[in-house]
Amino acid sequence: MDYLKTVVPSQLLAERGSNLVVINPGSMNVRMGFASQDVPFNIPHCIARHKNDAPKLSVRDQRLNCRAGSTHNAERERAYDIIASMLKIPFLGEVSPSENQPLPPKMGRLDGLSSQQNKDDSILTWTDVMDKSIKASTSIERSVNSDADEDPSQSTSDHGNKPNSEESKYKEMIFGEDALKILPSAPYCLGRPIRRGHFNISQNYSLHQVLEDLRTIWNWMLTEKLHINPKDRHLYSAILVLGETFDNREMKEMLSIVLCDLGFSTAVEALAAAFGNGLSTACVVNIGAQVTQVVCVEDGVALPHTALALPYGGDDISRCLLWVQQRHRTWPNFKTDPMKKPIDMLMLNKIKEGYSQIRSGSYDAVSVVHSYEHEKSVGHQKTRLSALSVPPMGLLYPRLLIPEEFPPPPRPWFQDCDDMLEDTWQTNDGLSGNGGLGAWDSYQMLPTRVKKFDNIGLVEAIVSSVLSTGRVDLQRKLFCSIQLVGGAASTAGLAPVLEQRVLNTIPSNQPVEKVEVLQSRRNPLFIPWKGGVILGVLDTTRDAWIHREDWIKNGVHVGSGRKYKDSYFLQSQLMCYYNS
């Protein structure tokens, strides 16, 4: 302890951070990097595999996606009008021209233009899916790009005078953003191993394939991004920063990948968002791409009975932005379909990140919208984006987002992995776990897991989570220590709206006079990852760490890494170092 109080943070990072890898997997992205790095690599959590029998790009979980029905659209329109009344903007019926009326002009003077409207609206380019290699002239084969009308005998003669020739073939695997920008006509199958905070198991995506994809993606990042040779990984330790949505069996499988397949010497899983901002007590609101999680943390320990999971996130806001523009008839006549074309979702996410914010009154912006309907000629059009404050307000009114577009998979689809999911495990109190039930049925009852997915607004979730602590002194502290993390947490105007509405929602009999959303010290997207860095560096006793040999031989129960009793003095010192 004396050493921890006197050591210089940079020295501690140099000693412990260079061989510590922090992994924070999510539904849309995976963040991975050395503890000594300032920010991690942030890569889309997906992989595209070449399939000879696939006529065009396909998505493994495509059958899980469903279109919004008339009932959903009616609920969405009512939610829009409620938000419009609150923001003092016209209702849908007042802004949507009839079918017989011409479209409003796209150009002209616009009020409340975004200050970012002159930003670079760069086009996304298609991924080169061909892998070119040099082949010796003694065994020349014609390239796939050779002219079909060329005389074979002449071609052989010409190539015979060259020492080498170039051969092209499809890349076997493509990762990250490149996998999302594959030509629709290319024979690839796109897999996203995690969806809505759980393994993406379905009839078309088996448990075995999900685990294989996780293993392959993480191994690629370790090799290509962190440059860690597989034979040297026994010299490294890993900390796995996981959200509260994963059940115990999923956590165990990911730990097995890290220890057994990727070859790390030791590993531990952690809930680390509060530590990423140098806090020991806070109400953490993690707004991810597909799931929003709310949990209260006291003295570095997550309170399991306060945890809530909300089935919506930043991706839903992006799709809602498209719906709003189509209802306003401001979107160009492009066949934009983020459900079927991953590259369209990339474009919508860029527009959302550049222009979405919450503010009172009409808020429009001008942006260049691209069309990815055709592979060779990509169209684009400068257009006005209207009502940009409405989509992020879906966090408060989730019916606007229609999360049913990505429904949870039915229970029968998990029959292919019942054996794995019916294992028992040891809980923190030493009692046996699920009593023989499948984990997907029983994890909701475990004291260390999220109880359920609640389709309530973010304000109600925060109030419910904090009040469930049952202690007035702690409630007051938590209401003044709300921490927003995740990509959508950067939305301008979100914090003051939450402060006002949370304060107004707290029951009058509760002695709470103030609500405060703390300003993030770092990029909210990387706060959970940075929390894992701090915990990994601070954990001097390493009692919670799991050794590879012990895991392979005996197996170790998960959950032991969720309580931390290290030096908060050094934690604050590290945060000062990071923010300097």
Side-chain angles (χ1 to χ4, degrees), residues 286-297:
N286 190 348
I287 309 173
Q290 298 176 7
V291 175
T292 297
Q293 303 169 61
V294 182
V295 64
C296 294
V297 179

Side-chain angles (χ1 to χ4, degrees), residues 353-369:
E353 293 165 3
Y355 299 105
S356 283
Q357 60 177 273
I358 299 176
R359 57 190 288 185
S360 182
S362 296
Y363 169 52
D364 295 344
V366 172
S367 177
V368 176
V369 176

Side-chain angles (χ1 to χ4, degrees), residues 470-534:
R471 290 164 40 200
V472 174
D473 60 330
L474 179 58
Q475 291 170 1
R476 286 177 172 173
K477 191 173 184 179
L478 291 171
F479 275 124
C480 291
S481 303
I482 299 174
Q483 178 180 329
L484 301 182
V485 302
S490 301
T491 303
L494 177 60
V497 168
L498 281 179
E499 289 177 345
Q500 178 185 1
R501 294 187 66 82
V502 167
L503 183 61
N504 294 338
T505 306
I506 298 173
S508 58
N509 61 346
Q510 296 292 330
V512 178
E513 299 82 22
K514 182 181 179 182
V515 173
E516 183 178 0
V517 175
L518 300 180
Q519 183 176 4
S520 178
R521 300 178 181 181
R522 306 185 61 82
N523 186 338
L525 183 63
F526 302 136
I527 286 177
W529 181 88
K530 184 59 70 176
V533 170
I534 295 174

Side-chain angles (χ1 to χ4, degrees), residues 27 95 150 334 353 362 398 427 474 513 565:
S27 301
V95 298
E150 184 179 343
F334 296 154
E353 293 165 3
S362 296
T427 57
L474 179 58
E513 299 82 22
K565 299 178 181 179

Side-chain angles (χ1 to χ4, degrees), residues 8-26:
V8 178
S10 59
Q11 178 184 348
L12 192 69
L13 282 174
E15 292 176 357
R16 301 181 180 175
S18 60
N19 67 339
L20 176 63
V21 177
V22 182
I23 306 172
N24 178 210

Side-chain angles (χ1 to χ4, degrees), residues 23 32 199 207-220 222-223 228-234 236 238 240 249-267 420 547-549 551-552:
I23 306 172
M32 183 184 298
F199 285 174
L207 169 70
H208 173 77
Q209 190 62 56
V210 166
L211 297 178
E212 177 62 26
D213 285 352
L214 279 175
R215 183 184 305 114
T216 306
I217 295 170
W218 296 0
N219 183 69
W220 171 77
L222 290 169
T223 304
I228 304 177
N229 195 302
K231 66 181 181 180
D232 297 328
R233 294 198 188 141
H234 66 281
Y236 295 82
L240 197 56
R249 283 301 306 189
E250 291 171 316
M251 293 157 56
K252 182 176 180 180
E253 289 298 333
M254 284 187 279
L255 278 171
S256 292
I257 290 175
V258 169
L259 289 169
C260 301
D261 301 311
L262 300 181
F264 284 95
S265 62
T266 57
M420 184 206 81
H547 292 270
R548 184 172 186 266
E549 294 78 8
W551 182 269
I552 295 175

